[in-house]
Amino acid sequence: MELIGSNISFKYPSAKNYILKDIDIYLDNNKVTGLVGDSGSGKSTLCKILSGHVQKFDGRVTLNGEELPKKGFCPVQLIYQHPEKVMNPKWKMDSVLGESWEVPDDLLEDFGIQKSWLTRFPQELSGGELQRFSVLRSLNPMTKFLIADEMTTMLDAITQVQILDSVLKIVKERNMGFLLVSHDMDLVNTICDDVIYLKDINKVD
């Protein structure tokens, strides 16, 4: 399975200069890939483009040769750094999770989610607790590619290991693609088979 970004360029409407320029990126599901770059270099924007969250850009993104769907469930799922920004504050956590799929109890346990959390609102949980839900929500059985944008930043060191182990187990079981974006080079070097440096593929002036 291949996720390919071809000749991707992007700039914000109010900006004169491109933040991403003529990027070609190739990802497949046979290895875990890391994406590394300086703060503000456009990593998150590229992740949003590759997962269909940003649709106005120059270039093309394809999954197995087909463009990503404009509506409905996207088989490329993005885990954001700040989960509280992508959850409806008026929904309890069982609805937040159920919006994506019905998660089995064993997975709730694997990700350290207590049943009592399901009846709480997002603002009643910590950032780390919310991120567990965010990760699980992205692991819908229809997901073919997972992009994690600094997903462990909100977690303590022990929880980082637990969550990443659980994610990697599912990625391998389902033969999913996995792109990990992180500033933590020790983490990247430990779990990634290949590393892409954004500065090497971004042709901005």
Side-chain angles (χ1 to χ4, degrees):
M1 186 174 301
E2 301 171 331
L3 178 63
I4 299 175
S6 304
N7 205 31
I8 292 174
S9 296
F10 178 85
K11 69 173 181 176
Y12 293 101
S14 58
K16 292 183 179 180
N17 299 322
Y18 282 88
I19 187 171
L20 303 173
K21 186 67 175 175
D22 298 332
I23 286 179
D24 292 319
I25 184 168
Y26 172 87
L27 306 166
D28 66 49
N29 63 327
N30 295 317
K31 57 188 176 184
V32 175
T33 303
L35 178 64
V36 176
D38 295 334
S39 296
S41 61
K43 299 187 305 298
S44 294
T45 301
L46 180 58
C47 289
K48 290 175 184 177
I49 289 172
L50 292 174
S51 58
H53 286 266
V54 171
Q55 298 184 351
K56 291 185 178 181
F57 64 94
D58 296 326
R60 190 166 184 248
V61 175
T62 59
L63 180 65
N64 273 4
E66 296 185 1
E67 294 189 355
L68 302 180
K70 301 293 185 184
K71 297 181 179 180
F73 186 83
C74 181
V76 182
Q77 285 288 296
L78 174 62
I79 304 170
Y80 284 83
Q81 179 178 353
H82 298 287
E84 71 279 2
K85 295 182 179 180
V86 294
M87 293 183 181
N88 190 331
K90 297 180 180 179
W91 286 8
K92 292 185 177 180
M93 296 310 299
D94 57 349
S95 297
V96 170
L97 200 55
E99 181 188 23
S100 177
W101 67 300
E102 188 173 342
V103 179
D105 288 345
D106 62 326
L107 270 187
L108 291 175
E109 187 174 336
D110 283 349
F111 280 81
I113 291 178
Q114 301 176 21
K115 286 292 187 71
S116 61
W117 297 354
L118 294 169
T119 57
R120 298 182 186 178
F121 291 98
Q123 58 268 31
E124 296 177 312
L125 297 177
S126 70
E129 290 164 352
L130 287 178
Q131 191 63 301
R132 297 169 193 260
F133 281 94
S134 183
V135 173
L136 257 187
R137 190 167 65 165
S138 71
L139 292 171
N140 184 302
M142 293 187 294
T143 301
K144 303 301 181 186
F145 239 96
L146 194 64
I147 299 176
D149 185 8
E150 299 282 359
M151 77 172 187
T152 58
T153 302
M154 306 288 290
L155 309 174
D156 60 71
I158 294 176
T159 306
Q160 280 187 27
V161 174
Q162 293 173 341
I163 296 298
L164 278 170
D165 281 349
S166 296
V167 169
L168 289 170
K169 178 183 175 183
I170 293 172
V171 164
K172 291 176 181 177
E173 285 177 351
R174 298 185 187 174
N175 204 25
M176 292 166 52
F178 187 31
L179 177 67
L180 176 71
V181 182
S182 179
H183 286 103
D184 187 340
M185 287 307 302
D186 288 336
L187 175 64
V188 170
N189 290 329
T190 298
I191 74 167
C192 295
D193 304 303
D194 193 14
V195 181
I196 297 172
Y197 294 90
L198 184 56
K199 62 181 177 59
D200 292 340
I201 61 173
N202 194 9
K203 300 178 180 64
V204 291
D205 295 329

